[in-house]
Amino acid sequence: MKYLSLFSLLLLSCSFTACDDDNEELPNQLVGTWENRSFVDSVNYWVVNTLEFKNDSVYQYRTTVRDSENGPDLGYRFFYDDNYEWNGNTFTYSPDLAAWIDHREEDFYVPKQELLAGIIDFFGIPTAAISFRNNRTKMIYQENCPKEFLPCDVPFESVEYIRVD
């Protein structure tokens, strides 16, 4: 009976250790570059929204333009660097300084240094739900509606990103 108690204690301690390992790697699940690519017929370009998670608290969001889906970036439409928090489901962020293309610009994209800098003003701290598919090669990003400021009858569309590195 004494051996059975020791064996049970050993199994219980192993199960707690396994849970701790999952929590330790949680922030690193996002680290890397994720892209959402779409072709815009009216301008004959690919528009690429990129989330680049540099570590467990810093990321960059950018919108660039390409001639082909996997080709090099030709220029920018939007850009910002920011900090984030992620608990395994809810992504919390709050960019304040960003740069975007001048709406009066005739070109569809410009070099990064020609973007106009400005401040993004949110009514609250934005959040999104993040989940993964296909062995973590696809990320589903679902922006949460700030119910205290907007009617949320229709949820925001989810966006699918693919891991590129």
Short mmCIF file of all heavy atoms in Angstrom, two decimals, residues 44-66:
data_model
loop_
_atom_site.label_atom_id
_atom_site.label_comp_id
_atom_site.label_asym_id
_atom_site.label_seq_id
_atom_site.Cartn_x
_atom_site.Cartn_y
_atom_site.Cartn_z
N ASN A 44 -4.61 45.54 -59.24
CA ASN A 44 -3.75 44.46 -59.71
C ASN A 44 -2.52 44.26 -58.83
O ASN A 44 -1.41 44.04 -59.33
CB ASN A 44 -3.35 44.70 -61.18
CG ASN A 44 -2.97 43.41 -61.87
OD1 ASN A 44 -3.47 42.34 -61.54
ND2 ASN A 44 -2.06 43.52 -62.83
N TYR A 45 -2.71 44.35 -57.51
CA TYR A 45 -1.63 44.13 -56.54
C TYR A 45 -2.10 43.18 -55.45
O TYR A 45 -3.30 43.06 -55.18
CB TYR A 45 -1.23 45.45 -55.84
CG TYR A 45 -0.44 46.40 -56.69
CD1 TYR A 45 -0.92 47.68 -56.92
CD2 TYR A 45 0.79 46.05 -57.22
CE1 TYR A 45 -0.20 48.59 -57.68
CE2 TYR A 45 1.52 46.96 -57.99
CZ TYR A 45 1.02 48.21 -58.21
OH TYR A 45 1.74 49.10 -58.96
N TRP A 46 -1.14 42.56 -54.81
CA TRP A 46 -1.38 41.79 -53.59
C TRP A 46 -1.17 42.72 -52.41
O TRP A 46 -0.14 43.41 -52.33
CB TRP A 46 -0.41 40.62 -53.49
CG TRP A 46 -0.77 39.49 -54.40
CD1 TRP A 46 -0.39 39.33 -55.69
CD2 TRP A 46 -1.60 38.39 -54.06
NE1 TRP A 46 -0.95 38.19 -56.20
CE2 TRP A 46 -1.70 37.58 -55.22
CE3 TRP A 46 -2.28 37.99 -52.92
CZ2 TRP A 46 -2.43 36.41 -55.26
CZ3 TRP A 46 -3.02 36.82 -52.96
CH2 TRP A 46 -3.09 36.05 -54.11
N VAL A 47 -2.11 42.77 -51.50
CA VAL A 47 -1.98 43.54 -50.26
C VAL A 47 -1.70 42.54 -49.15
O VAL A 47 -2.42 41.55 -48.99
CB VAL A 47 -3.26 44.35 -49.96
CG1 VAL A 47 -3.16 45.03 -48.60
CG2 VAL A 47 -3.49 45.38 -51.06
N VAL A 48 -0.63 42.79 -48.40
CA VAL A 48 -0.18 41.85 -47.38
C VAL A 48 -0.18 42.54 -46.02
O VAL A 48 0.50 43.54 -45.83
CB VAL A 48 1.24 41.32 -47.70
CG1 VAL A 48 1.70 40.33 -46.65
CG2 VAL A 48 1.28 40.71 -49.10
N ASN A 49 -0.99 42.00 -45.10
CA ASN A 49 -0.98 42.46 -43.71
C ASN A 49 -0.09 41.49 -42.93
O ASN A 49 -0.33 40.29 -42.95
CB ASN A 49 -2.38 42.48 -43.13
CG ASN A 49 -3.25 43.49 -43.83
OD1 ASN A 49 -2.87 44.64 -43.98
ND2 ASN A 49 -4.41 43.07 -44.29
N THR A 50 0.91 42.03 -42.27
CA THR A 50 1.90 41.21 -41.58
C THR A 50 1.90 41.52 -40.09
O THR A 50 1.95 42.68 -39.70
CB THR A 50 3.31 41.46 -42.15
OG1 THR A 50 3.30 41.20 -43.55
CG2 THR A 50 4.35 40.60 -41.47
N LEU A 51 1.85 40.47 -39.30
CA LEU A 51 2.08 40.56 -37.85
C LEU A 51 3.41 39.88 -37.59
O LEU A 51 3.57 38.69 -37.84
CB LEU A 51 0.98 39.83 -37.08
CG LEU A 51 -0.38 40.48 -37.03
CD1 LEU A 51 -1.42 39.51 -36.49
CD2 LEU A 51 -0.31 41.72 -36.15
N GLU A 52 4.38 40.65 -37.14
CA GLU A 52 5.69 40.08 -36.83
C GLU A 52 5.91 40.18 -35.33
O GLU A 52 6.14 41.28 -34.80
CB GLU A 52 6.80 40.81 -37.58
CG GLU A 52 8.16 40.20 -37.34
CD GLU A 52 9.27 40.90 -38.11
OE1 GLU A 52 8.98 41.66 -39.05
OE2 GLU A 52 10.44 40.68 -37.74
N PHE A 53 5.81 39.04 -34.64
CA PHE A 53 6.01 38.99 -33.21
C PHE A 53 7.50 38.77 -32.95
O PHE A 53 8.02 37.70 -33.23
CB PHE A 53 5.17 37.88 -32.59
CG PHE A 53 3.69 38.12 -32.72
CD1 PHE A 53 2.97 37.59 -33.77
CD2 PHE A 53 3.03 38.92 -31.80
CE1 PHE A 53 1.60 37.83 -33.90
CE2 PHE A 53 1.67 39.17 -31.92
CZ PHE A 53 0.96 38.62 -32.97
N LYS A 54 8.15 39.80 -32.42
CA LYS A 54 9.60 39.77 -32.26
C LYS A 54 10.03 39.02 -31.00
O LYS A 54 11.10 38.43 -30.96
CB LYS A 54 10.14 41.18 -32.27
CG LYS A 54 9.85 41.86 -33.61
CD LYS A 54 10.25 43.30 -33.64
CE LYS A 54 9.82 43.88 -34.96
NZ LYS A 54 10.84 44.53 -35.68
N ASN A 55 9.20 39.07 -29.97
CA ASN A 55 9.44 38.32 -28.74
C ASN A 55 8.11 38.18 -28.01
O ASN A 55 7.06 38.37 -28.63
CB ASN A 55 10.53 38.98 -27.87
CG ASN A 55 10.20 40.41 -27.52
OD1 ASN A 55 9.07 40.75 -27.20
ND2 ASN A 55 11.20 41.27 -27.55
N ASP A 56 8.13 37.92 -26.72
CA ASP A 56 6.88 37.68 -26.00
C ASP A 56 6.15 38.96 -25.58
O ASP A 56 5.16 38.89 -24.87
CB ASP A 56 7.12 36.78 -24.80
CG ASP A 56 8.03 37.41 -23.77
OD1 ASP A 56 8.56 38.52 -24.00
OD2 ASP A 56 8.24 36.78 -22.72
N SER A 57 6.58 40.12 -26.07
CA SER A 57 5.87 41.35 -25.73
C SER A 57 5.93 42.46 -26.79
O SER A 57 5.25 43.46 -26.67
CB SER A 57 6.39 41.91 -24.40
OG SER A 57 7.74 42.30 -24.54
N VAL A 58 6.72 42.29 -27.84
CA VAL A 58 6.89 43.32 -28.86
C VAL A 58 6.51 42.74 -30.22
O VAL A 58 6.91 41.63 -30.57
CB VAL A 58 8.35 43.83 -28.91
CG1 VAL A 58 8.55 44.82 -30.05
CG2 VAL A 58 8.73 44.47 -27.59
N TYR A 59 5.72 43.50 -30.98
CA TYR A 59 5.35 43.08 -32.32
C TYR A 59 5.30 44.27 -33.25
O TYR A 59 5.32 45.43 -32.83
CB TYR A 59 4.02 42.33 -32.33
CG TYR A 59 2.80 43.22 -32.27
CD1 TYR A 59 1.99 43.40 -33.38
CD2 TYR A 59 2.44 43.89 -31.10
CE1 TYR A 59 0.86 44.22 -33.33
CE2 TYR A 59 1.33 44.69 -31.05
CZ TYR A 59 0.54 44.85 -32.17
OH TYR A 59 -0.56 45.66 -32.12
N GLN A 60 5.23 43.96 -34.56
CA GLN A 60 5.11 44.99 -35.57
C GLN A 60 3.95 44.60 -36.49
O GLN A 60 3.80 43.44 -36.85
CB GLN A 60 6.39 45.08 -36.39
CG GLN A 60 6.36 46.10 -37.49
CD GLN A 60 7.65 46.06 -38.29
OE1 GLN A 60 7.72 45.37 -39.29
NE2 GLN A 60 8.65 46.79 -37.81
N TYR A 61 3.13 45.58 -36.84
CA TYR A 61 2.06 45.37 -37.81
C TYR A 61 2.38 46.25 -39.02
O TYR A 61 2.72 47.42 -38.86
CB TYR A 61 0.70 45.76 -37.22
CG TYR A 61 -0.42 45.61 -38.22
CD1 TYR A 61 -1.03 44.38 -38.38
CD2 TYR A 61 -0.83 46.68 -39.00
CE1 TYR A 61 -2.05 44.22 -39.31
CE2 TYR A 61 -1.85 46.53 -39.92
CZ TYR A 61 -2.46 45.29 -40.08
OH TYR A 61 -3.45 45.13 -41.00
N ARG A 62 2.26 45.68 -40.21
CA ARG A 62 2.50 46.48 -41.40
C ARG A 62 1.61 45.98 -42.54
O ARG A 62 1.28 44.81 -42.62
CB ARG A 62 3.97 46.46 -41.80
CG ARG A 62 4.53 45.10 -42.13
CD ARG A 62 6.05 45.16 -42.36
NE ARG A 62 6.60 43.85 -42.63
CZ ARG A 62 7.12 43.04 -41.70
NH1 ARG A 62 7.17 43.43 -40.44
NH2 ARG A 62 7.60 41.86 -42.04
N THR A 63 1.25 46.90 -43.41
CA THR A 63 0.53 46.58 -44.63
C THR A 63 1.43 46.99 -45.79
O THR A 63 1.81 48.16 -45.90
CB THR A 63 -0.81 47.33 -44.71
OG1 THR A 63 -1.60 46.98 -43.58
CG2 THR A 63 -1.57 46.96 -45.98
N THR A 64 1.78 46.01 -46.60
CA THR A 64 2.65 46.25 -47.75
C THR A 64 1.95 45.80 -49.02
O THR A 64 0.89 45.19 -48.98
CB THR A 64 3.99 45.51 -47.58
OG1 THR A 64 3.73 44.11 -47.40
CG2 THR A 64 4.78 46.06 -46.40
N VAL A 65 2.58 46.09 -50.15
CA VAL A 65 2.02 45.78 -51.46
C VAL A 65 3.06 44.98 -52.25
O VAL A 65 4.25 45.27 -52.18
CB VAL A 65 1.64 47.08 -52.21
CG1 VAL A 65 1.16 46.80 -53.61
CG2 VAL A 65 0.59 47.84 -51.41
N ARG A 66 2.56 43.98 -53.01
CA ARG A 66 3.43 43.14 -53.84
C ARG A 66 2.83 42.96 -55.23
O ARG A 66 1.61 43.02 -55.39
CB ARG A 66 3.60 41.75 -53.21
CG ARG A 66 4.25 41.77 -51.85
CD ARG A 66 4.30 40.37 -51.28
NE ARG A 66 4.89 40.41 -49.94
CZ ARG A 66 4.82 39.40 -49.09
NH1 ARG A 66 4.20 38.28 -49.42
NH2 ARG A 66 5.38 39.51 -47.90
#
